[in-house]
Amino acid sequence: MSGKCGICHEKLGIFSRSHTCSKCGVKLCHSCSKKIDVEDVNPITEAIMQHFGIYNFRVSSFLGQFRGYEYFCPKCMRIFNNAQSTIDSLLNRADSVIGYSSNYKGRKPACSDRVLYKTDFYKNRDDAMREIKTAALYRGFKFVMDYSFVKETSEEETDSGGTYYYATWRVVGFLARSSN
């Protein structure tokens, strides 16, 4: 890699450690790059960030070794940290969002600004519901309308060579505001 660091303008050479910001793509020297371990990010927070395009995490492979970390420039790291702390704090308030399932027959509030949202798949159904409710709060919505659960069967190989089957859950619904 050649060129200059986008922050301090140090020359980047073949033998110097350099990185590329995972968000904006600027080339960085090792001392200007900020590293985060994706494993340390709450999976629900990560899913919301990816859904709204804040960050798209990727686990890349180098010589068969998987790494679960990303490098950011200082500006993108501030954006990441702000979004992460906001979403993490909203996780505690997710129950304040009111949900109406697609088969609910009672009276529903008149809503505007309906935005379709599909969660990631989770082993725990409640985690999928927490994701969609937290996403609603993050975007300033009060309701999750006409949601439904989608169930898929997943499998993992066990240590003894067998196969373990389990259910994973996703919620699909509309984030909405009251028209009143």
Side-chain angles (χ1 to χ4, degrees):
M1 180 184 289
S2 61
K4 292 184 178 182
C5 173
I7 305 300
C8 70
H9 307 292
E10 177 184 318
K11 185 176 179 182
L12 302 174
I14 296 172
F15 299 109
S16 61
R17 292 184 69 189
S18 60
H19 305 284
T20 302
C21 177
S22 295
K23 177 64 176 167
C24 68
V26 69
K27 292 180 181 180
L28 303 164
C29 68
H30 183 69
S31 60
C32 288
S33 65
K34 307 295 180 192
K35 177 181 168 183
I36 64 151
D37 187 344
V38 176
E39 294 294 320
D40 293 340
V41 179
N42 180 312
I44 295 173
T45 301
E46 179 184 341
I48 292 170
M49 286 181 162
Q50 288 185 7
H51 182 86
F52 291 121
I54 298 166
Y55 286 100
N56 291 318
F57 295 100
R58 63 190 187 283
V59 178
S60 61
S61 155
F62 178 71
L63 300 176
Q65 300 292 317
F66 287 97
R67 67 177 179 94
Y69 50 86
E70 298 288 337
Y71 289 96
F72 298 111
C73 69
K75 178 184 171 192
C76 291
M77 189 66 183
R78 277 191 304 277
I79 294 168
F80 172 85
N81 286 336
N82 289 341
Q84 181 180 25
S85 64
T86 300
I87 293 168
D88 284 348
S89 70
L90 292 175
L91 279 168
N92 299 325
R93 296 184 18 229
D95 289 335
S96 68
V97 174
I98 302 167
Y100 294 94
S101 69
S102 58
N103 59 0
Y104 178 74
K105 301 296 182 208
R107 185 176 176 152
K108 296 179 186 177
C111 290
S112 61
D113 298 331
R114 293 167 55 106
V115 176
L116 179 65
Y117 190 93
K118 298 177 183 180
T119 68
D120 277 356
F121 281 95
Y122 295 92
K123 285 184 179 180
N124 184 337
R125 214 169 103 143
D126 294 338
D127 288 341
M129 199 65 199
R130 279 184 67 211
E131 179 188 330
I132 198 167
K133 285 184 169 187
T134 304
L137 286 173
Y138 184 72
R139 295 298 294 226
F141 293 100
K142 284 178 55 175
F143 302 101
V144 176
M145 305 297 291
D146 301 324
Y147 72 84
S148 59
F149 287 96
V150 177
K151 180 181 175 183
E152 280 193 0
T153 303
S154 298
E155 61 184 62
E156 289 179 358
E157 189 173 321
T158 63
D159 293 339
S160 60
T163 304
Y164 170 65
Y165 295 95
Y166 57 93
T168 56
W169 300 91
R170 157 185 264 178
V171 177
V172 178
F174 292 92
L175 312 181
R177 285 188 183 85
S178 175
S179 297
N180 302 345

